[in-house]
Amino acid sequence: MHRATGSSRTVIVAGAGIGGLSAALALVRKNFRVVVVDKAHRLEEAGAGLQLSPNVTRILIALGAGERLSRTAVAIDAIRVRSQRNRAIVDIPLGSDAELRFGSPYWAAHRGDLQAALLDTAQAHPDIEIELDLKVESFVSHPNGVTVQCRRGDRLTDRHGIALIGADGVWSTLRERLGEEAPRFAGRTAWRATLPAMALTPEYRCRNVHLWLGGKAHLVAYPVKAETAVNLVAIAADDTATLGWSTESARAEVLAHFSRWFWSQHVRDILALPDGWLRWPLYDRPPLASWGHGRMTLLGDAAHPMLPFLAQGAGMAIEDGFVLAEHLADAGDDIEPALRHYEAQRGPRTARVQRGARRNDMLYHFRWPASLARNMALRAMGGRRLLDRYDWIYDWRFAPSG
Ligand SMILES: Cc1cc2nc3c(=O)[nH]c(=O)nc-3n(C[C@H](O)[C@H](O)[C@H](O)COP(=O)(O)OP(=O)(O)OC[C@H]3O[C@@H](n4cnc5c(N)ncnc54)[C@H](O)[C@@H]3O)c2cc1C
């Protein structure tokens, strides 16, 4: 097999998050050499839980990170949907049926475990170099390559490659360089907490995602970390457009969005368990006019930040990285057209997921009496037919043209 040599096959990836590391692993499978740079001093175990549906676990397994991640990820049996009064609405079956149907499992994982699995796999590969404490600031695209300007403290330094992938997340510097506007605050905040599993009653230690729907707010709970911990995410309408992933919030701030007049005491008891929560203001944006220029393109949240109501933020970043590597592998020296083909292919799918997530935002947060009609419709449809509606997401596989 041909091995990557020198800078003629070097791709620069800005961002060692979920999308950047996945892209690096996908690119080395195609015999590229990859330099991943991240502005962070250390890649810490940041964040809370993520859901990884079969379209995504299939790729993680193909990239060689599946075995490492499977030690801590939890294979989910069902999504159990309930009302704010804690009445059962519908169970969406996953487990071995869904694994057979989609050819890959549905996992819940801690973001830190996912990033660690990708990082360990990447660090074990001789053609991936990871440089931390290096912020990508700008780039110049030439006919034969790209020069990437980076900063470490006061020092400016360049990196050279055949292409630059902007995987620098929701506040992407490289997206700014394209002249595209920043994401918009969605008027929603997600508060996250991870609890030891033993803090909850046994029904929440099973391999299920629990979802409670209520007017203007909802709560999600699922096991992570080999079932030793449970991840809670409480999402509500909120006007405070803060930045960052991890501002601490008090329990009372979260409970105020789940008032005792509307929410069952059972749900409020769960919300009262964590000593503190981490605030995550939600941003998304309409599809970008342009994802790239010359030998630069974007992926993941840099290109399409999305609301988490289809649980596909990490998934779309991972799919992007995989598809990008396929296009570059077939490009020969025609790097720019390959990047534009990648963008043309990923744009419609990621825009559809963004729209679907926004639709779920409305559907999840209906108030009475619309919520009553929604619950009846979901019950009538049943879990299996509901799952059918997600085929277009979960059954996705790469094809060169679509
Ligand atoms: C700290 C943190 C916590 C998160 N917690 C959750 C969570 O609990 N649940 C959830 O669903 N999603 C969470 N996310 C978001 C989730 O990881 C992304 O939505 C999704 O995985 C898409 O990944 P991405 O690779 O596009 O971006 P990210 O995973 O956000 O990675 C972006 C990376 O780019 C780096 N970076 C940014 N700017 C530059 C620059 N100029 N130069 C070099 N590097 C740069 C960042 O340090 C980061 O490592 C979190 C993201 C972060 C960064």
Side-chain angles (χ1 to χ4, degrees):
M1 209 197 274
H2 171 78
R3 229 184 206 308
T5 49
S7 64
S8 66
R9 297 279 289 172
T10 299
V11 177
I12 313 287
V13 176
I18 305 305
L21 290 171
S22 302
L25 290 172
L27 285 162
V28 289
R29 282 175 84 223
K30 301 292 176 185
N31 299 316
F32 290 96
R33 184 177 170 269
V34 184
V35 176
V36 187
V37 301
D38 201 290
K39 67 178 183 180
H41 301 289
R42 262 185 327 133
L43 296 177
E44 296 171 296
E45 206 190 89
L50 293 164
Q51 295 179 55
L52 299 167
S53 48
N55 50 314
V56 187
T57 55
R58 190 179 298 126
I59 296 177
L60 292 169
I61 293 165
L63 296 182
E67 197 279 321
R68 166 75 168 74
L69 184 58
S70 69
R71 294 181 219 153
T72 49
V74 179
I76 296 297
D77 285 335
I79 301 176
R80 312 199 71 180
V81 187
R82 298 181 203 188
S83 70
Q84 59 195 2
R85 297 285 184 205
N86 199 32
R87 294 197 189 104
I89 301 177
V90 69
D91 285 356
I92 304 173
L94 294 170
S96 48
D97 279 4
E99 184 166 347
L100 259 176
R101 172 171 167 174
F102 300 116
S104 204
Y106 190 110
W107 283 344
H110 193 282
R111 182 182 180 277
D113 290 339
L114 172 59
Q115 193 176 31
L118 292 167
L119 187 62
D120 283 0
T121 315
Q123 280 172 332
H125 202 291
D127 287 329
I128 300 180
E129 186 185 341
I130 298 173
E131 293 194 76
L132 297 182
D133 195 13
L134 197 59
K135 181 177 183 208
V136 170
E137 293 201 329
S138 197
F139 69 97
V140 180
S141 184
H142 321 283
N144 295 326
V146 61
T147 302
V148 184
Q149 285 125 18
C150 307
R151 176 181 292 279
R152 179 172 281 134
D154 296 339
R155 247 190 54 231
L156 291 174
T157 164
D158 288 350
R159 297 290 177 274
H160 303 276
I162 55 165
L164 167 64
I165 316 302
D168 50 346
V170 65
W171 300 112
S172 169
T173 305
L174 290 173
R175 185 199 51 237
E176 269 177 39
R177 297 290 173 270
L178 292 176
E180 293 281 358
E181 282 172 26
R184 62 190 177 192
F185 178 54
R188 307 269 178 273
T189 294
W191 288 268
R192 296 157 299 149
T194 308
L195 288 170
M198 293 312 280
L200 286 116
T201 54
E203 69 179 305
Y204 301 112
R205 290 186 236 133
C206 305
R207 302 170 151 237
N208 292 322
V209 173
H210 295 271
L211 168 64
W212 289 268
L213 303 179
K216 290 173 126 186
H218 74 273
L219 173 67
V220 189
Y222 51 83
V224 291
K225 296 200 162 290
E227 297 173 59
T228 61
V230 172
N231 180 64
L232 299 179
V233 191
I235 301 189
D238 182 49
D239 296 332
T240 322
T242 52
L243 292 178
W245 299 98
S246 301
T247 317
E248 293 193 5
S249 285
R251 181 192 290 145
E253 181 182 327
V254 180
L255 276 168
H257 293 277
F258 293 79
S259 100
R260 62 167 53 84
W261 305 111
F262 301 111
W263 286 86
S264 80
Q265 191 52 43
H266 180 82
V267 176
R268 284 176 50 84
D269 286 346
I270 295 174
L271 289 164
L273 287 172
D275 290 331
W277 294 76
L278 297 179
R279 162 183 266 276
W280 170 22
L282 300 181
Y283 288 80
D284 78 343
R285 57 164 310 123
L288 286 176
S290 156
W291 286 28
H293 166 72
R295 287 175 174 245
M296 190 282 275
T297 193
L298 301 175
L299 63 69
D301 282 358
H304 44 69
M306 55 182 72
L307 300 176
F309 306 131
L310 274 175
Q312 289 295 321
M316 288 303 111
I318 293 166
E319 281 188 9
D320 285 347
F322 189 82
V323 173
L324 180 59
E326 294 288 335
H327 283 280
L328 280 179
D330 291 340
D333 292 332
D334 295 330
I335 302 294
E336 288 194 33
L339 296 180
R340 302 297 87 82
H341 283 147
Y342 149 78
E343 293 158 6
Q345 187 174 19
R346 293 302 295 163
R349 177 164 168 84
T350 54
R352 189 176 172 193
V353 176
Q354 283 176 304
R355 286 194 302 274
R358 248 175 264 138
R359 244 194 328 273
N360 270 3
D361 178 8
M362 261 178 16
L363 197 77
Y364 280 16
H365 297 147
F366 276 155
R367 298 167 88 170
W368 193 89
S371 59
L372 204 64
R374 174 203 59 206
N375 296 353
M376 282 167 63
L378 291 176
R379 275 192 196 103
M381 193 180 290
R384 278 188 192 280
R385 276 174 59 210
L386 260 173
L387 186 61
D388 292 346
R389 295 173 64 135
Y390 292 101
D391 269 1
W392 68 275
I393 300 181
Y394 300 166
D395 215 13
W396 177 90
R397 285 166 177 78
F398 172 73
S401 57

